[in-house]
C-alpha cells in the first residue's frame, strides 16, 4: 500500500473512532433525544398518549397539573428517566408527597405495549403526557424530542435536593443551575403553577406565625389574607386544598404572574419570585401576551433533556411501576 493510501485509511479509522466516542458522550450527557424518534418503530405513540391523557383529564381536570408536576420532579431526581414512577418501599414515589396521575401513565403504557411491545419508554410517555396536559389546559403545544430510556434506580434518599417551597431565590437558582437551567428557566417552569392546587399544610406557616414573628408573611397582600385563613384555619388538619393560581386553577394562562404582582402567591417559593431583583423582570415580562406560553415550551424541552438515558443506558420497562 502506498503511503498516501495508508494515511488516508488511518485518518478514516480515526474519524470512525472519534465519531463513536462522540456518540457515547452525547448519550452519556442525555443529548440523544430527537423529534420523531418513534415515527417508524411506533408511529401512533404520540397519538395514543394524547388520547389517553385527554380521556383522563376530561374526567378529572386536576390530573393535568399532577402529570406536569410528576414530569418536573422526575427530571430533578436522577434525570428524566421515569424513576419517579417505580413503586415499592424506599422509592422516590414513597418520598414525594401528593404525586398524582400514575393511572394515566399506566393506561397509556398498556395501550402502547399492545401496539408496539417493548418500544416506547415510560420516560417518554411522561414527557409527552406533561405536554398534552398543558395543551388540554389551554397552553400552546410544543414538539417533544423523544428517545429517552427508563432508569433502573429509584431511591427515596435521592429526593432530598429537589426545589422546595421554603427555598430562597438564591437556593432555587443554584438547584436549577445544577441541572443546567438558568434564572429565566426557573421563573418559567415554576410558572407551571398556573394550574393545580396545594394542600394548606404546605403554606399555613405563612398565615399565622411566619418565621416566629407572631403574624403572617408580610409579602402576603393583607386583603387576601382573610380568604386564605378561611380556607386554612390555624387549627385545621392541613388537608384542605387551595389553587396555586387563585381563581384560575385549571387554566394555563398568565394570571399566576399577575397574582404574584398582587401579593397573592400561595407558596413562599412563588411569592419570592416577585420580590427578588433577579427574578422579578422575568415575572414582569410574563404578565400579559403570549411570551410565557412560548418560553414555557422552550424551557420544558430543555428540562426534559436533563441527564436522560439513551442508547444502551437504561431500559424500556414493560410496566412503568416496576424495573424489568
Amino acid at each position: 500500500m502506498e503511503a498516501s493510501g495508508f494515511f488516508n485509511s488511518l485518518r478514516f479509522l480515526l474519524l470512525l473512532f472519534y465519531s463513536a466516542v462522540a456518540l457515547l458522550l452525547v448519550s452519556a450527557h442525555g443529548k440523544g433525544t430527537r423529534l420523531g424518534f418513534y415515527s417508524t418503530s411506533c408511529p401512533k405513540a404520540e397519538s395514543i398518549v394524547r388520547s389517553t391523557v385527554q380521556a383522563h383529564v376530561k374526567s378529572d381536570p386536576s390530573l393535568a397539573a399532577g402529570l406536569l408536576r410528576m414530569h418536573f420532579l422526575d427530571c430533578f431526581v436522577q434525570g428524566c428517566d421515569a424513576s419517579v414512577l417505580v413503586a415499592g418501599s424506599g422509592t422516590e414515589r414513597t418520598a414525594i408527597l401528593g404525586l398524582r396521575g400514575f393511572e394515566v401513565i399506566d393506561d397509556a403504557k398498556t395501550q402502547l405495549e399492545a401496539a408496539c411491545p417493548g418500544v416506547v419508554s415510560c420516560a417518554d410517555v411522561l414527557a409527552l403526557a406533561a405536554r398534552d396536559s398543558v395543551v388540554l389546559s389551554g397552553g400552546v403545544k410544543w414538539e417533544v424530542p423523544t428517545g429517552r430510556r427508563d432508569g433502573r434506580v429509584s431511591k427515596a434518599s435521592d429526593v432530598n435536593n429537589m426545589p422546595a417551597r421554603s427555598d430562597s431565590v438564591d437556593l432555587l437558582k443554584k438547584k436549577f443551575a445544577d441541572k443546567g437551567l438558568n434564572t429565566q428557566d426557573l421563573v418559567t417552569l415554576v410558572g407551571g403553577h398556573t394550574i393545580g392546587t396545594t394542600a394548606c399544610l404546605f403554606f399555613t406557616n405563612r398565615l399565622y406565625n411566619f418565621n416566629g414573628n407572631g403574624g403572617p408573611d408580610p409579602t402576603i397582600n393583607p386583603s387576601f389574607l382573610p380568604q386564605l385563613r378561611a380556607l386554612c384555619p390555624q387549627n385545621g388538619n392541613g388537608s384542605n386544598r387551595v389553587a396555586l393560581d387563585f381563581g384560575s386553577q385549571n387554566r394555563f394562562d398568565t394570571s399566576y404572574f399577575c397574582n404574584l404582582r398582587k401579593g397573592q402567591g400561595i407558596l413562599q417559593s412563588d411569592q419570592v419570585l416577585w420580590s427578588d431583583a433577579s427574578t422579578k423582570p422575568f415575572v414582569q415580562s410574563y404578565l400579559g401576551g403570549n411570551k410565557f406560553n412560548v418560553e414555557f415550551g422552550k424551557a420544558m424541552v430543555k428540562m426534559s433533556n436533563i441527564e436522560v438515558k439513551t442508547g444502551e443506558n437504561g431500559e424500556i420497562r414493560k410496566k412503568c411501576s416496576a424495573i424489568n
Side-chain angles (χ1 to χ4, degrees):
M1 179 185 293
E2 293 183 0
S4 60
F6 171 79
F7 284 115
N8 284 336
S9 298
L10 182 60
R11 278 195 294 269
F12 178 72
L13 290 172
L14 286 171
L15 179 61
L16 286 178
F17 171 77
Y18 287 121
S19 296
V21 170
L23 284 173
L24 286 172
L25 288 173
V26 164
S27 177
H29 287 83
K31 304 298 183 184
T33 59
R34 60 180 172 82
L35 296 178
F37 184 85
Y38 299 112
S39 58
T40 301
S41 59
C42 192
K44 293 185 177 180
E46 292 202 26
S47 63
I48 289 172
V49 175
R50 182 169 57 253
S51 62
T52 304
V53 173
Q54 187 171 24
H56 283 270
V57 171
K58 183 178 180 181
S59 174
D60 182 358
S62 69
L63 284 171
L67 290 165
L68 178 60
R69 176 175 182 255
M70 192 150 58
H71 178 47
F72 173 87
L73 295 176
D74 179 49
C75 290
F76 266 80
V77 185
Q78 293 285 345
C80 310
D81 66 351
S83 54
V84 75
L85 301 176
V86 178
S89 129
T91 60
E92 294 171 30
R93 184 167 171 168
T94 65
I96 305 174
L97 296 175
L99 289 174
R100 299 187 65 234
F102 295 108
E103 70 276 21
V104 185
I105 304 301
D106 290 341
D107 186 359
K109 179 62 172 174
T110 298
Q111 295 180 55
L112 288 165
E113 285 298 300
C116 319
V119 173
V120 182
S121 70
C122 299
D124 279 342
V125 175
L126 189 50
L128 291 167
R131 186 271 310 276
D132 295 336
S133 295
V134 169
V135 174
L136 288 168
S137 302
V140 173
K141 181 180 178 180
W142 66 90
E143 297 300 319
V144 177
T146 45
R148 300 164 190 79
R149 291 175 73 83
D150 300 321
R152 298 189 178 98
V153 176
S154 182
K155 297 187 297 183
S157 58
D158 288 335
V159 309
N160 294 332
N161 202 39
M162 290 190 310
R165 61 188 180 277
S166 59
D167 285 347
S168 66
V169 168
D170 285 342
L171 184 52
L172 286 171
K173 287 195 294 185
K174 182 184 184 306
K175 289 180 177 180
F176 274 70
D178 287 345
K179 300 299 181 181
L181 302 170
N182 60 33
T183 303
Q184 181 172 5
D185 297 324
L186 160 62
V187 176
T188 306
L189 292 169
V190 174
H193 286 171
T194 181
I195 55 175
T197 63
T198 188
C200 290
L201 67 92
F202 293 125
F203 68 92
T204 303
N205 68 303
R206 300 185 67 214
L207 306 183
Y208 299 100
N209 188 26
F210 183 65
N211 291 343
N213 69 358
D217 181 343
T219 64
I220 299 176
N221 187 324
S223 66
F224 186 49
L225 188 61
Q227 297 178 66
L228 293 180
R229 284 180 168 174
L231 292 167
C232 303
Q234 188 168 13
N235 298 318
N237 62 15
S239 62
N240 290 349
R241 301 195 68 83
V242 175
L244 287 165
D245 182 358
F246 208 76
S248 181
Q249 68 187 62
N250 293 321
R251 186 71 184 171
F252 200 91
D253 54 25
T254 61
S255 65
Y256 165 80
F257 298 104
C258 296
N259 285 342
L260 298 188
R261 179 178 58 178
K262 293 185 290 186
Q264 295 182 359
I266 302 300
L267 300 178
Q268 183 179 344
S269 55
D270 288 336
Q271 192 59 51
V272 293
L273 298 180
W274 178 256
S275 56
D276 188 272
S278 67
T279 52
K280 185 175 181 177
F282 295 112
V283 176
Q284 290 174 313
S285 72
Y286 293 154
L287 289 174
N290 200 43
K291 183 177 180 180
F292 169 58
N293 256 309
V294 174
E295 293 301 325
F296 190 80
K298 293 178 183 177
M300 284 292 287
V301 170
K302 191 173 177 181
M303 183 197 77
S304 71
N305 271 316
I306 293 174
E307 300 166 20
V308 300
K309 296 162 179 64
T310 57
E312 296 303 311
N313 190 8
E315 64 183 18
I316 305 296
R317 284 189 216 137
K318 296 174 183 176
K319 291 181 62 178
C320 292
S321 60
I323 295 164
N324 291 345

